[in-house]
């Protein structure tokens, strides 16, 4: 075990800053320019394009897959559509609407557009997010004409409620365990607060000292990201973790920011203005907010003004100042380790006995463990009675891809709860990315 830790730490020490390759998603066949909203672990991107020709000049939902832009036709009888979320299976959700503005939530699955219906029989609904199980969240009109948050599960649309007796709400993201992130008004006031729903009633996440907040993304451990106002009246990107809302601040010299997406590796994306007042896309990782434009090469004069989503493999859906959408793909990963225990460890649950397909399809781990010294694979230990091998897949190691480097022993639930730091030259861990406040779990 010690030998493996030393090997992986030496890899991390020699790692250089992450950079990205930008893929221009191009246009739809009619020349429409896309705006990206979501990305999954297969690098598929969804969003909408603004039609520049044809009988209707409006929004057209798209799916970018395998280098091809695919137009997602509206529901029968509707004229326009937009896509806002996609899961690992390639299922897409969004809204389809008529020329007069009547909205209909849809699920695109297996090449078919499916209407999800409405709440209480009242017209109007929009879908915003979908998880791996096919559960969908969004908002729908009620009898009083207010948008309210819904969860669509098992072909049933469920009302999620509001906070503090509010009149309106909306859901924007859902994680693997069905936790939902969204926003609710504080009727009769005009303010809104971010919420997290975990199966009972929405919980008010508060603000950063100001009056308003909105939540946009949620990861599988229940961490929520969004934008919240400070006491000075500026909106800042936030991460809600360990029962606290943490200010992620802005890019140097900026005053406003907001976070849109978070991966299961804890990386956050969004936008921030800069000292010049220009709005730029950011990546928040390892406790630092970085201008994505400093990490990627783009055509002269073009900059990314927002990043909307990030996958567990680090791919980012972003939008450029030239009205083009981009898929950013990491060029270099200092440490990529197959880690089938991520979903269980985040919930402090022992994983079941693992089979080969589970290991091979597992998420990557690109950070060090909570003790800052041993590799992340040592933190997530197996309950399996059989050894489980992990493969280092980084060229910097000098090892061939897929080389087995170690096995793990029994699951130790106390390790994550109370890690014992090793001696030596500790490296910053991803677990420290938002300070000690985020060490506790839900």
């Amino acid at each position: 075990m010690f030998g493996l830790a030393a090997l992986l730490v030496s890899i991390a020490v020699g790692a250089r800053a992450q950079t990205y390759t930008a893929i221009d998603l191009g246009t739809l066949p009619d020349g429409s320019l896309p705006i990206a909203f979501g990305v999954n672990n297969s690098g598929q991107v969804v969003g909408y394009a603004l039609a520049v020709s044809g009988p209707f000049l409006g929004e057209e939902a798209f799916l970018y897959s395998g280098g091809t832009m695919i137009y997602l036709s509206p529901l029968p009888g509707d004229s326009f559509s937009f896509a806002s979320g996609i899961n690992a299976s390639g299922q897409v959700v969004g809204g389809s609407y008529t020329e007069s503005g009547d909205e209909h939530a849809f699920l695109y699955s297996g090449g078919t557009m499916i209407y999800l219906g409405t709440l209480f029989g009242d017209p109007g609904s929009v879908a915003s997010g979908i998880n791996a199980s096919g559960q969908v969240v969004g908002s729908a009109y009620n009898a009083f004409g207010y948008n309210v948050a819904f969860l669509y599960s098992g072909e049933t649309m469920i009302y999620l409620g509001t906070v503090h007796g509010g009149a309106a709400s909306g859901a924007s993201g859902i994680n693997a365990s069905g936790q939902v992130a969204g926003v609710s008004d504080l009727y009769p006031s005009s303010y809104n607060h971010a919420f997290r729903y975990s199966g009972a009633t929405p919980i008010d996440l508060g603000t950063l000292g100001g009056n308003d907040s909105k939540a946009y993304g949620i990861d599988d451990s229940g961490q929520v990201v969004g934008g919240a106002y400070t006491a000075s009246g500026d909106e800042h990107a936030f991460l809600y973790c360990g029962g606290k809302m943490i200010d992620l601040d802005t890019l140097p010299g900026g005053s406003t920011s907001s976070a849109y997406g978070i991966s299961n590796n804890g990386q956050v994306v969004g936008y921030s203005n800069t000292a010049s007042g220009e709005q730029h896309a950011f990546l928040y990782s390892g406790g630092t907010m970085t201008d994505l434009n400093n990490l990627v090469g783009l055509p002269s004069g073009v900059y990314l003004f927002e990043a909307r989503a990030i996958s567990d493999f680090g791919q980012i859906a972003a939008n450029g100042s030239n009205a083009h959408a981009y898929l950013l793909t990491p060029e270099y990963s200092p440490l990529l380790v197959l880690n089938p225990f991520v979903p269980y460890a985040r919930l402090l649950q022992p994983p079941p006995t693992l089979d080969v397909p589970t290991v091979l399809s597992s998420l990557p781990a690109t950070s060090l463990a909570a003790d800052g010294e041993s590799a992340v694979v040592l933190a997530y230990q197996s309950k399996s009675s059989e050894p489980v091998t992990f493969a280092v897949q980084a060229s910097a190691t000098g090892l061939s891809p897929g080389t087995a480097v170690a096995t793990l022993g029994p699951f130790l639930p106390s390790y994550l709860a109370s890690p014992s730091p090793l001696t030596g030259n500790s490296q910053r861990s991803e677990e420290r990315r938002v300070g000690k406040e985020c060490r506790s779990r839900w």
Side-chain angles (χ1 to χ4, degrees), residues 12-34:
V13 169
R16 60 183 174 85
Q18 178 69 70
T19 55
Y20 295 83
T21 298
I23 301 173
D24 188 330
L25 302 192
T27 64
L28 286 172
D30 64 359
S32 302
L33 299 173

Side-chain angles (χ1 to χ4, degrees), residues 80-151:
F80 313 110
S81 61
F82 62 91
S84 50
I86 183 170
N87 67 8
S89 301
Q91 293 177 303
V92 181
V93 295
S96 174
Y97 59 101
T98 65
E99 289 184 76
S100 60
D102 295 330
E103 297 175 315
H104 308 103
F106 74 76
L107 167 66
Y108 176 84
S109 182
T112 302
M113 292 282 281
I114 303 167
Y115 175 44
L116 300 185
T118 63
L119 281 170
F120 315 121
D122 298 290
S125 59
V126 172
S128 301
I130 182 171
N131 67 10
S133 301
Q135 294 177 303
V136 180
V137 294
S139 61
Y141 284 112
N142 63 15
F144 302 100
Y146 292 106
N147 270 311
V148 290
F150 74 75
L151 167 65

